[in-house]
Amino acid sequence: MAVEIIVPVLGESITSAVVSKWLKQPGERVNADEALVELETDKVNVEVPAPTSGIVGQHQVAAGDEVSVGALLVVLADEGEAPSTTVTPAVADTVSASITQPNAGTDYDLVVIGAGPGGYVAAIRAAQLGLKVACVEKRTTLGGTCLNVGCIPSKALLYASEQYEAAHKYFAGLGVMVNDVQLDLAKMHSHKQSVIDSNVSGIEFLFKKNKITWLKGSAVIKAPGKILVDGQEVTARSIVIATGSQSTSLPGIEVDEKQIITSTGALQLETVPKHMVVIGGGVIGVELGSVWHRLGARVTIVEYFDRLLPGFDKEVSTNFAKILQKQGMVLKLAHKVEQVRKQDGSVQITISNVAGDKTETLEADVVLVSVGRRPVTQGLGLEAVGVALDDRGRVQTNAQFQTNVSGIYAIGDVIAGPMLAHKAEEEGVAVAEILAGQKPHVDYDLIPGVVYTEPEIAMVGKTEETLKADGIEYSVGKFPFSANGRARAMGKTEGFVKILADKRTNKVLGVHLMGPHCSEMIAEAALAMAFGASAEDIALTCHAHPTLSESMKEAALATQKKTIHM
């Protein structure tokens, strides 16, 4: 896949440079990090390296030409592909002299389609780097699914429902006597909405602060560099697709967001269901199932696999299932849904075990379908432009987030990888910096996964199952929260910290947590792994006492059988 090489950001006050000499000629092979061209300004001389190996295409500018920051210099083709022989004018006399003005007469340097975590972060970072940026968003508010009907509102309800349950079940044990605890669901939803409003207005403020234009409407890509926003043409040197994902259903199940709902409907129920059946035991299913179970619903989770949270460490998910059952949830593991139908005001769900020798029918007033999400790529004009999709409908990109169509990039849920907001944010920063000529890096082995239930679950790196499949010898260090002083003081002793370390070098390969505030604790593990730390490095780091994070230190010690408090 071809890689565009552009004039990088050379300094805050530098808007253009002169091509002093070409170091590689068309048709020559270049290695990653090998210098392609030398640029000269009145302040600095720089060599622009190749971000990857490839074959040098036709120079888009000549030695002696003045070029603006962001202008195209050359295109690298993959080895075996024919290099580009087309010259696109990119010299300074055809563009504005200011970095804040777009190239080649376009309206913008960059147009981002979608204002979710990936899109708005890409827009902000690109604007910080001096590009003129617009972001297309069809919602009436910014923030995408995450801020409006996903991550943020779900966490608001998770926290509020946790407090409600604590007032009912746990406060008395702490000496806090609360009589006649009642649920005001409307006020809980009002709290949720106030959190949403605060977050989305914050993104709008950041757009104004960074001089990003919000193009309100739906986008259709008509050609490289040309977009229609509700019929109005907008031009840009680069386009980033960041349209996110949407809930998917199962064949034959018609979602109405009232009785048969997705996560969106689950955040808006006006009454507490008597019985909620959750189809799918992944992150969304167990989180939203937990919300309504705490508020009084009977909850049954139907999961096709033989355990919840299939992508997480098996020991963690197995123990988590036992905790949910102890809390009162009913789990139908290794079961599949045969039919869902409405009947006499209720919903009938026919399920069978995977072996196929046992069938039963569940009756519920609400069914939550949480079987996954699919990328939003329809209606963008990708087929007409020729942007390649994979067999799951995701946009295909190279390591620089480029599609097969020059000038069109994609990030977040619409490309391969975990559908996580923080993954999209990392890619948003990376693609903006690539467009500005920098060389960022996203380490996909260190993207944390978190489940915001009670107890919380968090992980980063390899699971035991993965290490076994890869034939990697490892040691395990575990420490239970039941032996942690702070957890005891909080009355939250379920769960443990588990560290997987290379058996020979003690390098941390994976960390798995289940317990209180694990969503906050996982960052220590990700940071340690980013720097290639051993478990001993964590163990030798002084952790404040009493804290939950001491369990991380103890688990690190346990990889070498040196734990103190066990």
Side-chain angles (χ1 to χ4, degrees):
M1 193 175 291
V3 178
E4 294 180 343
I5 309 300
I6 63 175
V7 179
V9 175
L10 303 170
E12 291 187 5
S13 62
I14 300 174
T15 60
S16 64
V18 174
V19 179
S20 57
K21 63 179 177 179
W22 280 97
L23 303 174
K24 290 291 181 180
Q25 300 305 313
E28 289 186 348
R29 185 185 184 281
V30 63
N31 296 318
D33 297 323
E34 192 172 359
L36 286 165
V37 62
E38 184 178 284
L39 304 178
E40 179 181 347
T41 74
D42 58 352
K43 295 182 180 180
V44 295
N45 286 5
V46 298
E47 291 183 345
V48 179
T52 185
S53 61
I55 305 299
V56 178
Q58 182 67 41
H59 298 161
Q60 301 296 299
V61 291
D65 284 343
E66 185 178 356
V67 289
S68 293
V69 171
L72 180 64
L73 293 169
V74 69
V75 175
L76 289 184
D78 286 342
E79 294 184 54
E81 290 184 5
S84 172
T85 58
T86 303
V87 179
T88 302
V91 294
D93 60 2
T94 64
V95 298
S96 169
S98 170
I99 189 174
T100 60
Q101 296 301 313
N103 287 287
T106 58
D107 299 320
Y108 299 96
D109 290 310
L110 170 65
V111 169
V112 180
I113 303 176
Y120 82 70
V121 167
I124 290 171
R125 184 61 185 135
Q128 290 174 341
L129 291 168
L131 302 183
K132 185 178 182 182
V133 182
C135 185
V136 184
E137 175 54 57
K138 64 183 178 181
R139 291 179 187 271
T140 57
T141 54
L142 300 171
T145 295
C146 178
L147 272 65
N148 288 277
V149 291
C151 321
I152 297 301
S154 65
K155 301 314 166 284
L157 290 185
L158 279 160
Y159 179 77
S161 62
E162 185 179 336
Q163 305 315 303
Y164 174 76
E165 184 180 56
H168 265 290
K169 297 182 178 180
Y170 307 122
F171 280 3
L174 301 174
V176 179
M177 310 310 294
V178 182
N179 297 320
D180 193 27
V181 177
Q182 296 184 34
L183 172 65
D184 187 336
L185 187 55
K187 185 169 285 187
M188 189 175 288
H189 279 309
S190 177
H191 161 69
K192 175 199 70 182
Q193 190 60 48
S194 69
V195 174
I196 295 171
D197 293 342
S198 177
N199 278 273
V200 298
S201 64
I203 304 304
E204 190 167 354
F205 165 76
L206 291 173
F207 270 31
K208 292 176 181 176
K209 174 185 175 183
N210 289 282
K211 298 180 175 56
I212 298 166
T213 302
W214 176 7
L215 301 175
K216 299 181 181 181
S218 299
V220 177
I221 302 173
K222 299 303 292 182
K226 291 185 179 181
I227 303 168
L228 291 184
V229 180
D230 284 357
Q232 297 295 312
E233 184 173 285
V234 177
T235 58
R237 181 171 58 80
S238 300
I239 299 169
V240 171
I241 302 167
T243 45
S245 62
Q246 60 189 7
S247 298
T248 189
S249 187
L250 293 173
I253 299 179
E254 185 176 343
V255 172
D256 59 15
E257 296 297 8
K258 293 181 179 179
Q259 285 184 288
I260 303 175
I261 61 177
T262 65
S263 58
T264 300
L267 296 169
Q268 300 169 345
L269 292 176
E270 296 178 355
T271 59
V272 178
K274 293 180 181 179
H275 183 203
M276 172 183 278
V277 170
V278 179
I279 302 175
V283 176
I284 294 173
V286 297
E287 285 185 354
L288 293 176
S290 292
V291 167
W292 294 106
H293 181 260
R294 293 169 188 165
L295 298 180
R298 183 163 58 93
V299 173
T300 301
I301 299 177
V302 181
E303 169 56 48
Y304 181 79
F305 291 100
D306 61 357
R307 60 188 175 104
L308 299 175
L309 306 172
F312 284 72
D313 189 84
K314 187 173 184 179
E315 182 181 14
V316 170
S317 61
T318 299
N319 280 274
F320 179 62
K322 294 177 181 177
I323 291 172
L324 290 189
Q325 289 174 316
K326 182 180 176 182
Q327 291 174 358
M329 290 194 196
V330 177
L331 305 182
K332 298 287 185 178
L333 304 179
H335 278 71
K336 60 182 178 179
V337 175
E338 300 289 353
Q339 186 182 49
V340 175
R341 67 185 187 280
K342 296 179 185 178
Q343 181 177 313
D344 300 328
S346 66
V347 184
Q348 306 290 318
I349 308 98
T350 303
I351 64 174
S352 64
N353 60 356
V354 174
D357 57 1
K358 183 180 179 182
T359 299
E360 63 180 304
T361 298
L362 307 174
E363 182 176 353
D365 40 344
V366 172
V367 174
L368 168 58
V369 182
S370 58
V371 293
R373 299 182 64 82
R374 63 176 183 269
V376 176
T377 55
Q378 296 298 314
L380 296 174
L382 302 186
E383 296 85 354
V385 178
V387 172
L389 305 179
D390 66 15
D391 57 359
R392 296 174 63 181
R394 301 174 300 191
V395 179
Q396 291 184 312
T397 61
N398 63 12
Q400 285 74 44
F401 307 104
Q402 288 183 315
T403 70
N404 61 308
V405 178
S406 180
I408 301 179
Y409 301 75
I411 60 170
D413 287 4
V414 295
I415 69 173
M419 290 183 171
L420 297 170
H422 44 282
K423 176 257 196 184
E425 289 178 334
E426 294 297 309
E427 292 175 340
V429 170
V431 74
E433 293 180 350
I434 287 170
L435 291 173
Q438 299 182 10
K439 298 178 65 178
H441 174 66
V442 178
D443 190 340
Y444 289 99
D445 290 331
L446 298 181
I447 303 293
V450 179
V451 187
Y452 297 85
T453 47
E454 177 62 36
E456 289 187 342
I457 295 172
M459 67 165 285
V460 64
K462 305 290 187 182
T463 64
E464 281 203 69
E465 294 73 47
T466 302
L467 292 175
K468 288 175 181 176
D470 292 344
I472 298 173
E473 293 189 343
Y474 63 94
S475 57
V476 180
K478 283 177 59 179
F479 190 80
F481 281 107
S482 59
N484 176 273
R486 180 70 183 277
R488 288 171 175 167
M490 296 166 61
K492 296 179 180 291
T493 56
E494 290 179 314
F496 53 85
V497 175
K498 175 179 178 180
I499 295 178
L500 307 176
D502 186 278
K503 196 165 187 177
R504 183 177 61 85
T505 66
N506 198 231
K507 180 181 179 180
V508 179
L509 303 176
V511 178
H512 305 273
L513 316 176
M514 180 172 65
H517 301 295
C518 289
S519 58
E520 304 295 338
M521 291 175 61
I522 197 64
E524 177 185 358
L527 180 62
M529 293 175 68
F531 282 88
S534 65
E536 186 178 34
D537 291 325
I538 297 175
L540 291 174
T541 301
C542 183
H543 289 61
H545 176 78
T547 59
L548 297 171
S549 62
E550 286 179 288
S551 296
M552 186 80 76
K553 178 186 179 81
E554 291 279 4
L557 286 166
T559 64
Q560 296 181 321
K561 304 188 185 304
K562 296 180 180 179
T563 184
I564 300 297
H565 290 93
M566 277 287 288

